[in-house]
mmCIF file of all heavy atoms in Angstrom:
data_model
loop_
_atom_site.group_PDB
_atom_site.id
_atom_site.type_symbol
_atom_site.label_atom_id
_atom_site.label_comp_id
_atom_site.label_asym_id
_atom_site.label_seq_id
_atom_site.Cartn_x
_atom_site.Cartn_y
_atom_site.Cartn_z
ATOM 1 N N GLY A 757 -2.625 5.102 17.692
ATOM 2 C CA GLY A 757 -2.337 3.645 17.224
ATOM 3 C C GLY A 757 -2.789 2.718 18.484
ATOM 4 O O GLY A 757 -2.402 1.487 18.406
ATOM 5 N N SER A 758 -3.552 3.290 19.453
ATOM 6 C CA SER A 758 -3.889 2.411 20.587
ATOM 7 C C SER A 758 -4.863 1.391 20.410
ATOM 8 O O SER A 758 -4.926 0.325 21.011
ATOM 9 C CB SER A 758 -4.259 3.333 21.745
ATOM 10 O OG SER A 758 -3.292 4.231 22.086
ATOM 11 N N PHE A 759 -5.617 1.449 19.347
ATOM 12 C CA PHE A 759 -6.608 0.399 18.955
ATOM 13 C C PHE A 759 -5.763 -0.803 18.440
ATOM 14 O O PHE A 759 -5.965 -1.838 18.944
ATOM 15 C CB PHE A 759 -7.570 0.939 17.833
ATOM 16 C CG PHE A 759 -8.316 -0.153 17.052
ATOM 17 C CD1 PHE A 759 -9.462 -0.773 17.668
ATOM 18 C CD2 PHE A 759 -7.918 -0.634 15.908
ATOM 19 C CE1 PHE A 759 -10.138 -1.751 17.076
ATOM 20 C CE2 PHE A 759 -8.667 -1.582 15.101
ATOM 21 C CZ PHE A 759 -9.716 -2.190 15.749
ATOM 22 N N ALA A 760 -4.755 -0.520 17.543
ATOM 23 C CA ALA A 760 -3.951 -1.607 16.968
ATOM 24 C C ALA A 760 -3.128 -2.191 18.113
ATOM 25 O O ALA A 760 -3.037 -3.300 18.081
ATOM 26 C CB ALA A 760 -3.055 -1.012 15.938
ATOM 27 N N ALA A 761 -2.665 -1.435 19.110
ATOM 28 C CA ALA A 761 -1.833 -1.958 20.131
ATOM 29 C C ALA A 761 -2.680 -2.737 21.051
ATOM 30 O O ALA A 761 -2.087 -3.799 21.496
ATOM 31 C CB ALA A 761 -1.222 -0.827 20.995
ATOM 32 N N ALA A 762 -3.942 -2.509 21.255
ATOM 33 C CA ALA A 762 -4.814 -3.268 22.027
ATOM 34 C C ALA A 762 -5.194 -4.631 21.482
ATOM 35 O O ALA A 762 -5.322 -5.641 22.185
ATOM 36 C CB ALA A 762 -6.055 -2.478 22.381
ATOM 37 N N LEU A 763 -5.175 -4.681 20.058
ATOM 38 C CA LEU A 763 -5.410 -5.887 19.315
ATOM 39 C C LEU A 763 -4.174 -6.617 19.049
ATOM 40 O O LEU A 763 -4.419 -7.889 18.592
ATOM 41 C CB LEU A 763 -6.056 -5.456 17.889
ATOM 42 C CG LEU A 763 -7.434 -5.242 17.853
ATOM 43 C CD1 LEU A 763 -7.835 -4.837 16.480
ATOM 44 C CD2 LEU A 763 -8.289 -6.441 18.375
ATOM 45 N N ASP A 764 -3.039 -6.221 19.264
ATOM 46 C CA ASP A 764 -1.779 -6.883 18.927
ATOM 47 C C ASP A 764 -1.853 -8.339 19.062
ATOM 48 O O ASP A 764 -1.937 -8.859 20.101
ATOM 49 C CB ASP A 764 -0.570 -6.308 19.686
ATOM 50 C CG ASP A 764 0.740 -6.769 19.209
ATOM 51 O OD1 ASP A 764 1.042 -6.745 18.023
ATOM 52 O OD2 ASP A 764 1.455 -7.346 20.094
ATOM 53 N N SER A 765 -1.428 -8.973 17.926
ATOM 54 C CA SER A 765 -1.485 -10.539 17.956
ATOM 55 C C SER A 765 -0.691 -11.024 16.609
ATOM 56 O O SER A 765 -0.899 -10.301 15.700
ATOM 57 C CB SER A 765 -2.952 -11.107 17.977
ATOM 58 O OG SER A 765 -2.993 -12.370 17.552
ATOM 59 N N PRO A 766 -0.125 -12.040 16.700
ATOM 60 C CA PRO A 766 0.401 -12.680 15.426
ATOM 61 C C PRO A 766 -0.568 -13.118 14.441
ATOM 62 O O PRO A 766 -0.221 -13.412 13.322
ATOM 63 C CB PRO A 766 1.314 -13.725 15.931
ATOM 64 C CG PRO A 766 0.708 -14.139 17.258
ATOM 65 C CD PRO A 766 0.220 -12.916 17.889
ATOM 66 N N LYS A 767 -1.816 -13.195 14.881
ATOM 67 C CA LYS A 767 -2.832 -13.558 13.913
ATOM 68 C C LYS A 767 -3.328 -12.498 12.983
ATOM 69 O O LYS A 767 -4.082 -12.830 12.004
ATOM 70 C CB LYS A 767 -4.138 -14.105 14.734
ATOM 71 C CG LYS A 767 -3.813 -15.357 15.653
ATOM 72 C CD LYS A 767 -5.032 -15.554 16.407
ATOM 73 C CE LYS A 767 -4.854 -16.763 17.336
ATOM 74 N NZ LYS A 767 -5.979 -17.049 18.180
ATOM 75 N N LEU A 768 -2.933 -11.225 13.365
ATOM 76 C CA LEU A 768 -3.550 -10.175 12.540
ATOM 77 C C LEU A 768 -2.436 -8.958 12.449
ATOM 78 O O LEU A 768 -1.500 -8.930 13.046
ATOM 79 C CB LEU A 768 -4.738 -9.603 13.244
ATOM 80 C CG LEU A 768 -4.710 -9.122 14.717
ATOM 81 C CD1 LEU A 768 -4.168 -7.669 14.759
ATOM 82 C CD2 LEU A 768 -5.933 -9.313 15.393
ATOM 83 N N TRP A 769 -2.765 -8.037 11.583
ATOM 84 C CA TRP A 769 -1.973 -6.793 11.434
ATOM 85 C C TRP A 769 -3.031 -5.752 11.145
ATOM 86 O O TRP A 769 -4.101 -5.865 10.750
ATOM 87 C CB TRP A 769 -0.954 -6.942 10.447
ATOM 88 C CG TRP A 769 -1.465 -7.167 8.982
ATOM 89 C CD1 TRP A 769 -1.598 -8.363 8.418
ATOM 90 C CD2 TRP A 769 -1.869 -6.145 7.983
ATOM 91 N NE1 TRP A 769 -2.147 -8.196 6.970
ATOM 92 C CE2 TRP A 769 -2.292 -6.950 6.869
ATOM 93 C CE3 TRP A 769 -1.984 -4.832 7.952
ATOM 94 C CZ2 TRP A 769 -2.702 -6.327 5.714
ATOM 95 C CZ3 TRP A 769 -2.478 -4.181 6.857
ATOM 96 C CH2 TRP A 769 -2.886 -5.034 5.666
ATOM 97 N N VAL A 770 -2.672 -4.407 11.487
ATOM 98 C CA VAL A 770 -3.528 -3.330 11.427
ATOM 99 C C VAL A 770 -2.837 -2.230 10.449
ATOM 100 O O VAL A 770 -1.757 -1.895 10.705
ATOM 101 C CB VAL A 770 -3.912 -2.609 12.631
ATOM 102 C CG1 VAL A 770 -4.826 -1.466 12.516
ATOM 103 C CG2 VAL A 770 -4.577 -3.760 13.608
ATOM 104 N N MET A 771 -3.634 -1.797 9.340
ATOM 105 C CA MET A 771 -3.229 -0.675 8.614
ATOM 106 C C MET A 771 -3.720 0.594 9.337
ATOM 107 O O MET A 771 -4.987 0.828 9.232
ATOM 108 C CB MET A 771 -3.683 -0.769 7.198
ATOM 109 C CG MET A 771 -3.325 0.481 6.299
ATOM 110 S SD MET A 771 -1.524 0.480 5.927
ATOM 111 C CE MET A 771 -1.451 -0.824 4.635
ATOM 112 N N ASN A 772 -2.833 1.347 9.987
ATOM 113 C CA ASN A 772 -3.224 2.564 10.640
ATOM 114 C C ASN A 772 -3.321 3.677 9.721
ATOM 115 O O ASN A 772 -2.244 4.068 9.386
ATOM 116 C CB ASN A 772 -2.300 2.752 11.977
ATOM 117 C CG ASN A 772 -2.493 1.809 12.994
ATOM 118 O OD1 ASN A 772 -3.388 1.792 13.793
ATOM 119 N ND2 ASN A 772 -1.449 0.770 13.065
ATOM 120 N N VAL A 773 -4.428 4.314 9.512
ATOM 121 C CA VAL A 773 -4.679 5.344 8.530
ATOM 122 C C VAL A 773 -4.703 6.654 9.327
ATOM 123 O O VAL A 773 -5.508 6.836 10.128
ATOM 124 C CB VAL A 773 -5.825 5.097 7.608
ATOM 125 C CG1 VAL A 773 -5.951 6.299 6.671
ATOM 126 C CG2 VAL A 773 -5.746 3.863 6.931
ATOM 127 N N MET A 774 -3.844 7.689 8.856
ATOM 128 C CA MET A 774 -3.893 8.987 9.495
ATOM 129 C C MET A 774 -4.551 9.848 8.425
ATOM 130 O O MET A 774 -4.021 10.290 7.437
ATOM 131 C CB MET A 774 -2.493 9.465 9.714
ATOM 132 C CG MET A 774 -2.325 10.951 10.264
ATOM 133 S SD MET A 774 -3.217 11.094 11.857
ATOM 134 C CE MET A 774 -2.588 9.776 12.822
ATOM 135 N N PRO A 775 -5.801 10.262 8.714
ATOM 136 C CA PRO A 775 -6.430 11.181 7.691
ATOM 137 C C PRO A 775 -5.630 12.528 7.607
ATOM 138 O O PRO A 775 -5.176 13.082 8.577
ATOM 139 C CB PRO A 775 -7.787 11.545 8.468
ATOM 140 C CG PRO A 775 -8.014 10.332 9.295
ATOM 141 C CD PRO A 775 -6.669 9.850 9.793
ATOM 142 N N THR A 776 -5.579 13.033 6.347
ATOM 143 C CA THR A 776 -4.766 14.130 6.151
ATOM 144 C C THR A 776 -5.247 15.410 6.732
ATOM 145 O O THR A 776 -4.670 16.454 6.963
ATOM 146 C CB THR A 776 -4.591 14.476 4.608
ATOM 147 O OG1 THR A 776 -5.876 14.405 4.040
ATOM 148 C CG2 THR A 776 -3.748 13.206 3.957
ATOM 149 N N ILE A 777 -6.508 15.304 7.111
ATOM 150 C CA ILE A 777 -7.251 16.462 7.757
ATOM 151 C C ILE A 777 -7.333 16.294 9.308
ATOM 152 O O ILE A 777 -7.986 17.162 10.062
ATOM 153 C CB ILE A 777 -8.605 16.750 7.195
ATOM 154 C CG1 ILE A 777 -9.589 15.622 7.466
ATOM 155 C CG2 ILE A 777 -8.569 16.976 5.732
ATOM 156 C CD1 ILE A 777 -11.063 15.766 7.132
ATOM 157 N N ALA A 778 -6.641 15.360 9.855
ATOM 158 C CA ALA A 778 -6.777 15.135 11.297
ATOM 159 C C ALA A 778 -6.123 16.341 11.971
ATOM 160 O O ALA A 778 -5.143 16.942 11.566
ATOM 161 C CB ALA A 778 -5.948 13.857 11.688
ATOM 162 N N GLU A 779 -6.651 16.670 13.231
ATOM 163 C CA GLU A 779 -6.158 17.800 14.008
ATOM 164 C C GLU A 779 -4.750 17.566 14.397
ATOM 165 O O GLU A 779 -3.927 18.541 14.366
ATOM 166 C CB GLU A 779 -7.072 17.961 15.244
ATOM 167 C CG GLU A 779 -6.655 19.142 16.011
ATOM 168 C CD GLU A 779 -7.566 19.294 17.327
ATOM 169 O OE1 GLU A 779 -8.468 18.479 17.470
ATOM 170 O OE2 GLU A 779 -7.206 20.055 18.231
ATOM 171 N N LYS A 780 -4.279 16.558 14.658
ATOM 172 C CA LYS A 780 -3.024 16.085 15.077
ATOM 173 C C LYS A 780 -2.465 15.078 14.237
ATOM 174 O O LYS A 780 -3.002 13.978 13.946
ATOM 175 C CB LYS A 780 -2.809 15.611 16.582
ATOM 176 C CG LYS A 780 -3.330 16.678 17.567
ATOM 177 C CD LYS A 780 -3.286 16.051 18.984
ATOM 178 C CE LYS A 780 -3.914 17.018 19.941
ATOM 179 N NZ LYS A 780 -3.984 16.348 21.347
ATOM 180 N N ASP A 781 -1.189 15.308 13.683
ATOM 181 C CA ASP A 781 -0.569 14.148 12.920
ATOM 182 C C ASP A 781 0.269 13.377 13.824
ATOM 183 O O ASP A 781 1.370 13.833 14.220
ATOM 184 C CB ASP A 781 0.420 14.879 11.791
ATOM 185 C CG ASP A 781 1.168 13.906 11.014
ATOM 186 O OD1 ASP A 781 0.929 12.663 11.164
ATOM 187 O OD2 ASP A 781 1.971 14.392 10.130
ATOM 188 N N THR A 782 -0.246 12.255 14.121
ATOM 189 C CA THR A 782 0.461 11.392 15.074
ATOM 190 C C THR A 782 0.822 10.017 14.326
ATOM 191 O O THR A 782 1.267 9.049 14.987
ATOM 192 C CB THR A 782 -0.466 10.862 16.249
ATOM 193 O OG1 THR A 782 -1.656 10.460 15.713
ATOM 194 C CG2 THR A 782 -0.817 12.143 17.139
ATOM 195 N N LEU A 783 1.074 10.080 13.072
ATOM 196 C CA LEU A 783 1.470 8.728 12.373
ATOM 197 C C LEU A 783 2.960 8.358 12.704
ATOM 198 O O LEU A 783 3.244 7.224 12.863
ATOM 199 C CB LEU A 783 1.227 9.040 10.829
ATOM 200 C CG LEU A 783 1.548 7.736 10.098
ATOM 201 C CD1 LEU A 783 0.648 6.612 10.406
ATOM 202 C CD2 LEU A 783 1.277 8.100 8.491
ATOM 203 N N GLY A 784 3.829 9.319 13.009
ATOM 204 C CA GLY A 784 5.104 9.062 13.405
ATOM 205 C C GLY A 784 5.066 8.413 14.740
ATOM 206 O O GLY A 784 5.939 7.489 15.009
ATOM 207 N N VAL A 785 4.248 8.666 15.679
ATOM 208 C CA VAL A 785 4.041 7.980 16.902
ATOM 209 C C VAL A 785 3.792 6.484 16.630
ATOM 210 O O VAL A 785 4.284 5.632 17.267
ATOM 211 C CB VAL A 785 2.995 8.677 17.868
ATOM 212 C CG1 VAL A 785 2.697 7.807 19.048
ATOM 213 C CG2 VAL A 785 3.493 9.981 18.287
ATOM 214 N N ILE A 786 2.911 6.316 15.694
ATOM 215 C CA ILE A 786 2.358 4.926 15.470
ATOM 216 C C ILE A 786 3.628 4.069 15.002
ATOM 217 O O ILE A 786 3.757 3.030 15.466
ATOM 218 C CB ILE A 786 1.329 4.991 14.353
ATOM 219 C CG1 ILE A 786 0.044 5.467 15.032
ATOM 220 C CG2 ILE A 786 1.074 3.534 13.833
ATOM 221 C CD1 ILE A 786 -1.158 5.915 13.939
ATOM 222 N N PHE A 787 4.382 4.687 14.154
ATOM 223 C CA PHE A 787 5.559 3.927 13.732
ATOM 224 C C PHE A 787 6.631 3.671 14.883
ATOM 225 O O PHE A 787 7.189 2.636 14.916
ATOM 226 C CB PHE A 787 6.320 4.575 12.602
ATOM 227 C CG PHE A 787 5.745 4.353 11.281
ATOM 228 C CD1 PHE A 787 4.701 5.133 10.647
ATOM 229 C CD2 PHE A 787 6.139 3.231 10.444
ATOM 230 C CE1 PHE A 787 4.128 4.841 9.331
ATOM 231 C CE2 PHE A 787 5.525 2.878 9.323
ATOM 232 C CZ PHE A 787 4.641 3.647 8.648
ATOM 233 N N GLU A 788 6.796 4.768 15.755
ATOM 234 C CA GLU A 788 7.647 4.565 16.815
ATOM 235 C C GLU A 788 7.191 3.426 17.743
ATOM 236 O O GLU A 788 8.119 2.818 18.584
ATOM 237 C CB GLU A 788 7.735 5.846 17.630
ATOM 238 C CG GLU A 788 8.621 6.939 16.838
ATOM 239 C CD GLU A 788 8.723 8.163 17.560
ATOM 240 O OE1 GLU A 788 8.151 8.278 18.741
ATOM 241 O OE2 GLU A 788 9.503 9.030 17.143
ATOM 242 N N ARG A 789 5.935 3.208 17.686
ATOM 243 C CA ARG A 789 5.355 2.073 18.520
ATOM 244 C C ARG A 789 5.588 0.638 17.947
ATOM 245 O O ARG A 789 5.229 -0.290 18.457
ATOM 246 C CB ARG A 789 3.894 2.291 18.827
ATOM 247 C CG ARG A 789 3.562 3.483 19.499
ATOM 248 C CD ARG A 789 2.068 3.674 19.879
ATOM 249 N NE ARG A 789 1.719 2.691 21.004
ATOM 250 C CZ ARG A 789 0.612 2.697 21.484
ATOM 251 N NH1 ARG A 789 -0.348 3.636 21.113
ATOM 252 N NH2 ARG A 789 0.345 1.866 22.523
ATOM 253 N N GLY A 790 6.230 0.624 16.712
ATOM 254 C CA GLY A 790 6.475 -0.549 16.015
ATOM 255 C C GLY A 790 5.283 -1.102 15.228
ATOM 256 O O GLY A 790 5.091 -2.312 14.872
ATOM 257 N N LEU A 791 4.364 -0.162 14.905
ATOM 258 C CA LEU A 791 3.235 -0.443 14.078
ATOM 259 C C LEU A 791 3.324 0.230 12.788
ATOM 260 O O LEU A 791 4.359 1.140 12.597
ATOM 261 C CB LEU A 791 2.004 0.102 14.711
ATOM 262 C CG LEU A 791 1.647 -0.385 16.141
ATOM 263 C CD1 LEU A 791 0.456 0.409 16.807
ATOM 264 C CD2 LEU A 791 1.290 -1.950 16.121
ATOM 265 N N ILE A 792 2.424 0.010 11.679
ATOM 266 C CA ILE A 792 2.542 0.522 10.447
ATOM 267 C C ILE A 792 1.405 1.350 10.056
ATOM 268 O O ILE A 792 0.400 1.138 10.695
ATOM 269 C CB ILE A 792 2.846 -0.454 9.336
ATOM 270 C CG1 ILE A 792 1.759 -1.518 9.280
ATOM 271 C CG2 ILE A 792 4.149 -1.112 9.460
ATOM 272 C CD1 ILE A 792 1.873 -2.416 8.099
ATOM 273 N N GLY A 793 1.541 2.250 9.238
ATOM 274 C CA GLY A 793 0.322 3.175 8.822
ATOM 275 C C GLY A 793 0.714 3.963 7.643
ATOM 276 O O GLY A 793 1.743 3.903 7.000
#
Side-chain angles (χ1 to χ4, degrees):
S758 298
F759 168 75
L763 275 179
D764 183 55
S765 166
K767 297 176 184 177
L768 57 86
W769 57 271
V770 179
M771 179 68 77
N772 292 283
V773 180
M774 180 59 51
T776 56
I777 65 170
E779 181 183 352
K780 297 175 185 174
D781 177 5
T782 51
L783 189 54
V785 169
I786 289 169
F787 275 96
E788 287 181 356
R789 301 185 72 171
L791 304 168
I792 59 170

